[in-house]
Structure formats: structure tokens, C-alpha cells
Amino acid sequence: MRLANESGLWATGPPPAPIPAVAVLEVSGAVLSWPVDDPSHPPVLAFTDPARADWMWRILGEAGHVAVVEALRDRDRTEVIELPSVSVLSGSADSLRRLALGHWLRRWWPASRRDGITALDPAVLDAELAVLTAAAEDYFTDDTLDADVVGLLAPHGAALGSYRDPRVDALVARCRDLADELGVRWDSQGSGAARREDYALAAGLGDEPRSPGTIAAGGVTIAWSDVPPAIFDAAEHNLDWAVVTEDATVTVQVRAAVSGPDSAAGIPVSLRCGAFHGAGLLDAEGGAVLPVLDADGRPAEEAQAWNADWSATRVGVGGGGAAESSELRDRVRAFACARLATPAADAFLAELLAAESDY
């Protein structure tokens, strides 16, 4: 094992893959990470507090645990520490990797009607994660981000109660026992809430006839890292825009393809092209109409808009700071499609149900 200080934390290596192709799990005293599509890769350990990582002996052995703690005590952060006798024991982190994968599925699963990637049922996935997290309690002696069993369990009782599947029934029984242990009020006995089998895909502007006042139009891909999960269709070119003039007023109309249970309402959207710019918020269906302003912040004039070159238009949605490549998104889509086509040994029940719904 080799330990170096990476971004302020002692770690066994750099991140094993870029976001969103990395599965991450925060346990007491450390963050573990794996490439999501390479189950043979050992975890990269980044220590937030080695003294709190009481579980370390479980994956490094007792001697390895002692060696790491001693090696990191009062060390110069510019040093590189070599521990040739320490390594992750084969198979020892498999359960943690599966937990990390489950959290990755919650955040990054690229559900898409356009690409034929079926959405995962969030109630089933969260319930299974709650059970797995409770079983791994020895790794969560501190309140880490991924230790919140109650947060995973509490919202979904009614949705799970709407299933008619013996595998879900067995999961519900385990969740009910877990809720009793935790003192959580949890009712899976049909509150009348319907489980949504699928989600509507909002049509983009490209699917609609153009207005006679359309000056320019195009499409972009929303960066996954910029927006919350479970809202937008994860296909490429999932947002259309059009600069339109009507009654001498210049606006930009945007429409994102939505394909998830959560609402797009309130997510920021902006456009910039040279001196022209506009900003606003999406509505629940992923649409917005933004006023186009000039360099001085005044409404753009119609003649200016018609004479402008809109080919360099940039549209941003959400945080606006991410820039994962299309190749990386393709890699994640290929991984998701492979898991649906041939369920892996570590498949979650939510994945199995999604795969079966394709037939």
C-alpha cells in the first residue's frame, strides 16, 4: 500500500475514475471509492480521520490496521508512505462496494426514454440500501452522509405497499422489522398512493413546429453533474432552445426533456451568446421563456437579434460548473445497459424489476 496526501487527505491513490463513473461510500473516518464499471478494482481509501476508522482491520487485517494508523501519526503531508506488507484483503470490501454502487444508482443511474434505459424504482432501491446500511453498522459508528438509514427508509412505505411481488414483500418485511428497531413510523399498507410505473417525457422544442418569428434554434446536453438526479432524461441533446421575436420582443424559449419523478421547477437556466444573455428558472415540465438582454442589460432589439450570429450560443442548466465529456456519459450508459441486459451477481432488486419491465 502506498499513502500520499491527495487534496488534504491521506489516500491510497488518486480517485479511481472521474465523476460520474466513480462509486463512493463515506464510512467512519474514511471515504472509499471504486470505478463503477470495474468490480475487480480494489477500493481507494481516503482517510478523513484514521483514528475513527475502527473497521479498518476488517479489510486490511489487524496488522495492516495498526501499520496504517502508526504510519499516519504526525507525518509530514509532503511525504509518500510505502507500506509494502499492507493491502486490501481479497473480497473483504465487497459488501461496501455494493453499498457504494447502490448510492451511485440513486445519484447517477442514466434513466432515459430516448436511450431505452428504464428508470429504477426509488422506493425499492432506498429500502434495499437501508437494509444493507443497517447490516453494515460496524462501518458507520459516526453519522456520515451514507449512514442515514432513517432517511432512506422513512419516505417509502406507501409506495412499497403498492407492489404485488414476493421479492418486494420480503423486502418490506425486513424494512418493517428495521423500522421497529429504529422506532420509525413506517406503514407499507397501501395508503392509496399510486406507484408510478413510468414517467412522462416532455417534448422538446425540436418536436414542435417553429414559430414564424424564430431567429435561431439549437440543442444542447444538460451536464449530469450540474443538476439533481431523477428529473431529466439522460440522453444526449436533451434540451432545445430557440430565439424568438414576437411583437418586437426578443426571448429565448427552452425546453428540456424530463423523465423522472421529481420536478424541474426552480432549476436555473441561462443563455449567453456574445453580448446577448438571458437567465431564469425552469418550470415543472422543464420549460422556460427568458428575456434576451444586450450588453447593457437592456432588452435586445429585434434588428440586433436578426443580424446576430447565434452559432456560438451556450445554454447552461443548474450549477453550470460541470463539464463531464460525452464519452464519459456514453461509458455510464453502456454500463447501465449492460446491467439491464444481463443482471450482475450484485444486482439490486430495483435493477431486476427494471430489467424485467423491458419484456
Side-chain angles (χ1 to χ4, degrees), residues 40-78:
S40 66
H41 197 289
V44 172
L45 283 66
F47 294 101
T48 54
D49 186 351
R52 299 294 300 166
D54 297 333
W55 47 266
M56 210 188 312
W57 63 272
R58 297 175 181 273
I59 68 170
L60 301 181
E62 293 183 3
H65 185 159
V66 172
V68 169
V69 172
E70 290 298 323
L72 295 181
R73 184 171 286 126
D74 300 324
R75 292 299 288 260
D76 185 337
R77 293 190 175 188
T78 62

Side-chain angles (χ1 to χ4, degrees), residues 202-276:
L205 291 172
D207 301 316
E208 302 171 357
R210 288 188 181 179
S211 163
T214 299
I215 297 171
V220 299
T221 300
I222 299 171
W224 297 351
S225 303
D226 275 346
V227 294
I231 296 176
F232 299 104
D233 190 287
E236 293 294 294
H237 308 296
N238 56 355
L239 181 143
D240 296 321
W241 60 268
V243 178
V244 176
T245 179
E246 184 176 358
D247 297 330
T249 299
V250 182
T251 61
V252 58
Q253 300 175 4
V254 299
R255 173 72 67 183
V258 293
S259 181
D262 294 340
S263 172
I267 294 178
V269 58
S270 63
L271 172 142
R272 181 167 292 277
C273 182
F276 297 108

